[in-house]
Amino acid sequence: MRQTIFLILSLLIFQVGISQNLTESDLIGEWEFIELQDENGEKQTKIPLIRFGRDMGIENVNRDSYVFNDDGTYKSFNPLNVSYGTWYLDKKTQEINLELQIAPDSPYLPSLKKAKIVKKRKDGFYYQKPVKKKILIYSKDGMTIADREKYVLIYKRK
């Protein structure tokens, strides 16, 4: 029964998310990460860490909060890290595309270049290929973003 309710709720969320006509201006501002929820709507602070189909232990949930600026730049931050980059909204897919900025003197740059996942821009910085964040539900004060398979991220506007 619980699975059926979740399936119906998921379909409803998917429909609501797709039917929204979001624009970049809807996202401008600061979005604070509140929690990660599982398919039952329960808050999770530790989840299985799986990479390349292998169990790698347990992940302590730590997701970024964001500041989206109207000039197409963003700041992402959590208790362990601060990053900057550019962003844009794909209106067809309702996905926020985040292009992480990499400094020219970053020790990781050679391996990122070798993997062909960064490009240099006129500003002298390198930018990573976009990471897509699918918006499932949006309101003026909050949004729900797809995370991994059975998890969603809950954000509130600050």
Side-chain angles (χ1 to χ4, degrees):
M1 179 70 173
R2 191 175 215 176
Q3 294 268 355
T4 305
I5 292 171
F6 177 72
L7 179 62
I8 292 169
L9 184 59
S10 296
L11 290 171
L12 182 61
I13 289 170
F14 183 73
Q15 279 293 75
V16 168
I18 293 299
S19 66
Q20 298 176 98
N21 292 317
L22 293 176
T23 65
E24 288 84 358
S25 63
D26 293 322
L27 300 174
I28 303 300
E30 185 171 344
W31 293 90
E32 179 183 14
F33 170 67
I34 302 300
E35 65 185 27
L36 178 138
Q37 294 180 357
D38 66 14
E39 70 269 19
N40 297 315
E42 296 178 18
K43 178 180 179 176
Q44 299 295 313
T45 58
K46 296 177 186 250
I47 59 174
L49 180 60
I50 299 173
R51 295 279 189 252
F52 308 109
R54 293 183 36 202
D55 184 2
M56 305 295 284
I58 300 295
E59 172 191 355
N60 291 320
V61 173
N62 180 36
R63 298 294 187 269
D64 288 341
S65 292
Y66 295 96
V67 176
F68 296 113
N69 300 308
D70 61 2
D71 66 356
T73 61
Y74 76 89
K75 172 184 172 183
S76 63
F77 55 97
N78 63 52
L80 304 174
N81 188 40
V82 175
S83 300
Y84 298 90
T86 58
W87 73 280
Y88 62 93
L89 176 66
D90 183 328
K91 293 174 186 154
K92 285 184 183 177
T93 62
Q94 299 294 288
E95 292 172 330
I96 302 168
N97 290 260
L98 304 171
E99 301 167 316
L100 179 65
Q101 184 184 75
I102 312 292
D105 60 350
S106 168
Y108 305 107
L109 186 57
S111 58
L112 294 171
K113 286 167 116 178
K114 187 175 181 179
K116 298 180 180 179
I117 60 171
V118 294
K119 284 190 176 181
K120 189 173 186 176
R121 293 193 188 156
K122 292 178 183 176
D123 64 3
F125 289 96
Y126 289 80
Y127 290 84
Q128 181 178 311
K129 288 183 179 180
V131 172
K132 299 168 186 282
K133 304 284 184 180
K134 175 74 174 168
I135 301 170
L136 300 175
I137 301 174
Y138 171 84
S139 75
K140 186 180 81 157
D141 300 319
M143 90 179 131
T144 302
I145 294 178
D147 192 53
R148 297 185 202 139
E149 282 179 31
K150 55 185 180 174
Y151 301 106
V152 295
L153 306 172
I154 309 300
Y155 285 86
K156 76 172 183 178
R157 188 184 295 271
K158 280 193 92 168

